[in-house]
Amino acid sequence: ARKAFKSWSKLNPKERGKYIFRIARMIQERAREFAVIESLDGGKPIRESRDIDIPLAANHFFYYAGWADKLEYAFPNKTPQPLGVAGQIIPWNFPLLMAAWKIAPALACGNTVVLKPAETTSLTALKLAELIRDSGLPKGVVNIITGAGETGTEIVNHPDIDKIAFTGSTAIGKIIQKSIAGSKKKSTLELGGKGANIIFEDAAIDQAVEGIINAIFFNQGHVCCAGSRLFVQESVAEIVIEKLKERISTLIVGDPLDKNTDIGAINSKEQLNTINNYIKIGKKEGGEIYQAKCKVAKKGNWCPPTLFLNVSQSHTIVQEEIFGPVLAIQTFRTIDEVIEKANNTPFGLSAGVWTEKGSKIFKLTQELNAGVVWANTYNKFDPTSPFGGFKESGFGREGGLHGLEAYLKLK
Ligand code: NAI
Ligand code: MG
């Protein structure tokens, strides 16, 4: 990567853009294969791999291909220059998509890359390596290395690395930040979350219920920006909860490769244990559990869609990231009360607001301490939109114009 940086960073940016564009096209051409491998390897429903992960991954390459020769327009009066070799460590929840989020902007800015996928989901990253080799990208520009935490540590501490881009747990994010303190290395960290989804009495209730379901059960809840806390205004709480209970009983849990599956397999035995442990703690601390009864195969890592009622701010399952299909439900009376509660966790990544009133949307967008606030929708992603958190959810942005800044020094 260090050697390749010399010529890659000096290549005409227009040519860099063409390479990135070619990678995007090739992902599109092999989309079916990628989708099947992603679901087989990680457990997510094929509908999601096919309609969301893979097309979005291709779109990130398309989007950043376009920026390669326009960097000086993005940062007027400055001379944008690449950082060097980017060490990129990604998680198991959106394996190919996270690789795309990391690699595409790094290349557009003229950096080279050493990327490590998560140990439970390395296959699509390896397939991508194969594709990149076939695309004719100069050797050494993108390097993909498999391995677990120790391999990540090697990347973080290597003297030839100029930048660390990490997505994963807050615990490891903190370790990385400490390891590189005082060094030349730049970093962006995209860590955990505990997204608040807030539904007001004036919301379109059925639409909101669908949004709440998507917010927490998309990708088995293995989503850093999942809407894992629900706040329902008291006057509509009964009806919303009733509708949620009805709706989760229709969700199909099972074979990730079945087109009808809504909730696939939990990514690993370890993660299933983590989730089950949180469910135990939730019950022990007095939460009232409601689980859909679903038929699943005996073998496999399954977790039914789970609701927790009668929980409060101090409960562990309200404060900590579970990363599974578990929703903690609270009620509220006033807008100021819900803002305070929504902001009261160590995280600050995402939030959702459901109301027909524009004034409430504006107030909440201002006052919620979250990097992303969705209004009357949830889990909408697009390469043009920057994504990232506040507080212990990390720093730096990926996507959009701001995503370029993470891979440039501005002279
Ligand atoms: P993790 O943070 O340990 O793993 C993420 C990536 O970091 C993987 O590629 C892993 O191999 C690597 N890694 C692990 N230790 C490292 C180290 N010391 N130095 C450098 N790289 C290292 O996450 P894990 O253990 O798989 O999941 C634990 C919890 O973390 C989950 O239950 C969830 O709450 C949270 N998480 C959040 C993610 C997010 O998107 N924000 C993604 C994955 C996990
Ligand atoms: Mg870990």
Side-chain angles (χ1 to χ4, degrees):
R2 173 56 60 200
K3 273 190 212 145
F5 178 66
K6 266 198 176 160
S7 44
W8 178 249
S9 58
K10 295 202 182 89
L11 192 67
N12 183 331
K14 206 193 308 168
E15 296 303 314
R16 283 207 309 262
K18 281 187 200 164
Y19 278 113
I20 303 168
F21 190 83
R22 199 173 308 146
I23 295 169
R25 285 287 297 272
M26 288 174 73
I27 294 174
Q28 271 188 330
E29 281 158 17
R30 299 190 193 173
R32 268 165 180 267
E33 188 186 358
F34 272 109
V36 171
I37 296 173
E38 198 74 302
S39 285
L40 271 174
D41 198 24
K44 67 176 67 204
I46 187 74
R47 230 173 39 215
E48 292 179 9
S49 310
R50 190 193 59 196
D51 299 344
I52 298 167
D53 292 62
I54 312 304
L56 258 183
N59 282 341
H60 269 268
F61 281 100
F62 278 124
Y63 175 75
Y64 281 111
W67 271 119
D69 62 355
K70 300 173 192 71
L71 297 177
E72 63 268 43
Y73 299 104
F75 305 100
N77 305 321
K78 295 201 174 81
T79 303
Q81 294 185 320
L83 295 173
V85 180
Q88 307 183 320
I89 300 168
I90 59 169
W92 40 263
N93 51 344
F94 295 92
L96 185 73
L97 184 57
M98 287 303 104
W101 277 31
K102 298 265 183 292
I103 296 172
L107 296 189
C109 296
N111 303 275
T112 58
V113 161
V114 178
L115 176 132
K116 189 194 86 59
E119 53 271 35
T120 56
T121 56
S122 302
L123 293 185
T124 47
L126 291 172
K127 207 73 200 158
L128 180 66
E130 203 177 283
L131 178 154
I132 287 175
R133 184 199 57 201
D134 296 349
S135 78
L137 189 77
K139 230 177 157 182
V141 174
V142 172
N143 307 272
I144 294 183
I145 301 181
T146 56
E150 327 64 279
T151 310
T153 306
E154 291 295 326
I155 294 174
V156 169
N157 294 329
H158 198 285
D160 267 330
I161 294 283
D162 299 294
K163 191 237 155 73
I164 293 291
F166 173 78
T167 299
S169 62
T170 295
I172 301 297
K174 287 180 184 180
I175 292 174
I176 292 176
Q177 215 176 350
K178 278 185 198 153
S179 322
I180 64 172
S183 78
K184 66 170 178 182
K185 290 169 192 165
K186 303 251 177 305
S187 63
T188 40
L189 304 177
E190 206 266 273
L191 310 174
K194 196 71 188 174
N197 216 352
I198 301 168
I199 162 166
F200 287 94
E201 60 191 2
D202 61 23
I205 298 291
D206 287 331
Q207 186 193 338
V209 166
E210 279 313 300
I212 294 161
I213 295 282
N214 167 274
I216 184 62
F217 301 124
F218 172 55
N219 197 27
Q220 298 77 246
H222 302 330
V223 184
C224 48
C225 54
S228 52
R229 291 180 297 154
L230 174 62
F231 292 96
V232 193
Q233 198 155 24
E234 221 171 61
S235 49
V236 290
E238 205 172 311
I239 176 90
V240 168
I241 290 164
E242 194 182 307
K243 281 176 187 274
L244 279 174
K245 285 179 174 173
E246 261 172 41
R247 186 67 179 90
I248 66 170
S249 66
T250 68
L251 295 175
I252 299 172
V253 181
D255 185 354
L257 290 179
D258 186 329
K259 288 202 298 300
N260 295 317
T261 294
D262 297 302
I263 300 180
I266 300 303
N267 181 264
S268 64
K269 197 98 216 159
E270 195 187 350
Q271 187 61 25
L272 182 61
N273 289 340
T274 304
I275 297 167
N276 284 336
N277 199 37
Y278 274 117
I279 291 176
K280 231 183 259 166
I281 293 171
K283 285 197 265 189
K284 210 167 122 200
E285 290 182 356
E288 179 194 327
I289 188 170
Y290 182 86
Q291 272 181 324
K293 289 177 198 63
C294 37
K295 283 183 229 136
V296 288
K298 272 216 181 87
K299 265 194 170 173
N301 303 334
W302 313 112
C303 182
T306 303
L307 309 177
F308 267 104
L309 306 161
N310 294 331
V311 292
S312 62
Q313 286 297 105
S314 61
H315 283 190
T316 307
I317 60 163
V318 172
Q319 289 293 324
E320 295 182 12
E321 182 175 57
I322 299 174
F323 230 56
V326 182
L327 179 64
I329 305 176
Q330 295 176 266
T331 58
F332 71 94
R333 283 192 184 150
T334 68
I335 189 163
D336 290 316
E337 174 197 351
V338 80
I339 290 170
E340 196 186 313
K341 284 182 173 169
N343 284 337
N344 179 17
T345 75
F347 301 107
L349 187 56
S350 61
V353 182
W354 302 84
T355 171
E356 293 291 284
K357 270 219 150 146
S359 58
K360 278 187 200 153
I361 294 174
F362 283 121
K363 184 176 164 75
L364 285 155
T365 312
Q366 286 294 323
E367 295 188 25
L368 289 173
N369 200 0
V372 180
V373 181
W374 282 291
N376 295 328
T377 186
Y378 208 96
N379 280 336
K380 281 262 189 256
F381 305 100
D382 190 89
T384 61
S385 307
F387 183 90
F390 300 132
K391 293 158 78 183
E392 292 191 21
S393 293
F395 50 80
R397 293 292 177 267
E398 296 183 295
L401 174 61
H402 301 271
L404 294 166
E405 260 183 87
Y407 291 98
L408 289 170
K409 53 185 177 207
L410 299 173
K411 239 184 215 174

